[in-house]
Amino acid sequence: MVPNNFIKPKCLVLSKNINSRFENLLKSLGYQVFFFDRRKDAFKFLLTHRPELIIVDANFLPKNPNRVFQSFKIAHSTPGMLILTENKHDCYTYCWLNGGFFEVIEIPCDLEEIELSLKRITEYLHLHSKNLFYRDILIQAGLAFPVLILLTFLLARI
């Protein structure tokens, strides 16, 4: 059982074809699911709530993936993205994105395949956040090191 004070990660679903089994899968993985059927409403949700995962039909995506990256920059977040399509050739520009947080899946597909993709995306995002954390610590330590040497030098002169 999940404690009441535990904050569930948010999942934005921009699709008209999601069935209840898929929704139950997302809830069993611990996501709080929000459904939208208009791109504008989903973008507002992205800006305000910064979901960890976005599941979107290929029909709702712009043709240029740079627009998606621009919206991530505006929201100051990098969520995982699962793209559902009937034909991978329809979203040919997105198929080449393999940054670890993009997955393109042809529908209809098994729930096990979707679950595996979702776990892979969440593991990548967890690893990415750890790497950013340690990088920031090293940068802070690098900035503090000259000050520490100066302080040691000044204390040695006293």
Side-chain angles (χ1 to χ4, degrees):
M1 178 156 175
V2 178
N4 289 336
N5 60 356
F6 180 71
I7 298 174
K8 292 183 178 182
K10 293 175 178 63
C11 175
L12 171 104
V13 178
L14 183 60
S15 176
K16 295 180 183 177
N17 305 354
I18 299 296
N19 57 14
S20 61
R21 287 182 27 213
F22 190 72
E23 181 180 358
N24 291 337
L25 171 69
L26 289 171
K27 287 183 179 180
S28 70
L29 291 174
Y31 287 103
Q32 188 178 7
V33 184
F34 297 92
F35 290 96
F36 293 97
D37 56 355
R38 291 182 48 212
R39 193 186 312 179
K40 187 176 183 179
D41 297 335
F43 183 70
K44 286 180 184 177
F45 182 82
L46 173 70
L47 291 178
T48 56
H49 295 287
R50 295 181 185 154
E52 184 177 310
L53 179 67
I54 297 175
I55 298 172
V56 64
D57 273 343
N59 302 336
F60 289 106
L61 290 173
K63 295 295 181 198
N64 189 355
N66 285 333
R67 296 204 184 249
V68 175
F69 286 121
Q70 286 173 350
S71 63
F72 291 166
K73 284 182 182 179
I74 291 169
H76 299 289
S77 70
T78 307
M81 192 164 187
L82 183 65
I83 301 171
L84 304 174
T85 182
E86 293 176 0
N87 186 3
K88 281 194 176 184
H89 299 293
D90 292 343
C91 58
Y92 63 92
T93 55
Y94 289 93
C95 291
W96 300 106
L97 299 175
N98 56 2
F101 55 93
F102 273 90
E103 288 279 335
V104 179
I105 294 181
E106 288 189 32
I107 51 175
C109 61
D110 296 335
L111 285 180
E112 291 84 21
E113 182 182 355
I114 292 175
E115 184 177 3
L116 181 66
S117 296
L118 291 175
K119 286 182 180 180
R120 192 173 25 225
I121 289 171
T122 55
E123 286 295 321
Y124 174 80
L125 291 174
H126 183 68
L127 181 67
H128 184 68
S129 66
K130 272 187 172 180
N131 286 342
L132 289 177
F133 174 74
Y134 291 130
R135 186 196 68 185
D136 290 345
I137 285 178
L138 287 174
I139 289 172
Q140 295 298 324
L143 292 174
F145 187 69
V147 174
L148 190 64
I149 289 178
L150 179 64
L151 184 65
T152 307
F153 176 73
L154 291 176
L155 287 176
R157 292 190 70 195
I158 293 180

